[in-house]
């Protein structure tokens, strides 16, 4: 899915504190994706959210979405269960 990930990767790398991201595609609805971005600190992501929240790309993405994006900041929870399971 380079048509989605490459432009996002290029764009996100411009921001101080950006580490990487994951794109998860819904198996039942391929048009639905979840983007999880990783940042070096909470301050870095808050700065980007505040500075670029009204960027034309963000506004367009919100207009195209069937459900408005909900943003929240979290931390990774390590999975200690048996590997090989699909994400849900």
């Amino acid at each position: 899915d380079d048509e989605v990930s490459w432009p996002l990767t290029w764009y996100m790398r411009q921001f101080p504190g950006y580490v990487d991201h994951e794109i998860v595609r819904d198996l039942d609805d391929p048009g639905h994706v979840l983007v999880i971005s990783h940042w070096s600190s909470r301050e870095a992501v808050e700065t980007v959210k505040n500075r670029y929240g009204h960027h034309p790309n963000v506004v367009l993405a919100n207009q195209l979405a069937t459900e408005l994006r909900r943003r929240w900041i979290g931390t990774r929870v390590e999975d200690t269960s048996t590997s090989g399971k699909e994400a849900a």
Side-chain angles (χ1 to χ4, degrees), residues 19-84:
V19 176
D20 65 6
H21 67 273
E22 304 170 56
I23 300 175
V24 180
R25 183 177 303 280
D26 188 327
L27 294 175
D28 295 324
D29 181 2
H32 181 224
V33 296
L34 171 67
V35 178
I36 303 168
S37 58
H38 302 138
W39 298 83
S40 61
S41 68
R42 181 183 187 111
E43 292 78 22
V45 73
E46 289 291 349
T47 298
V48 170
K49 281 174 51 179
N50 292 334
R51 186 175 295 163
Y52 298 100
H54 299 291
H55 188 280
N57 290 347
V58 174
V59 172
L60 179 59
N62 286 335
Q63 291 171 349
L64 294 174
T66 57
E67 178 181 327
L68 287 180
R69 296 182 299 167
R70 291 174 285 167
R71 295 181 185 205
W72 49 278
I73 300 170
T75 187
R76 182 183 302 263
V77 176
E78 295 301 325
D79 182 10
T80 58
S81 63
T82 307
S83 63

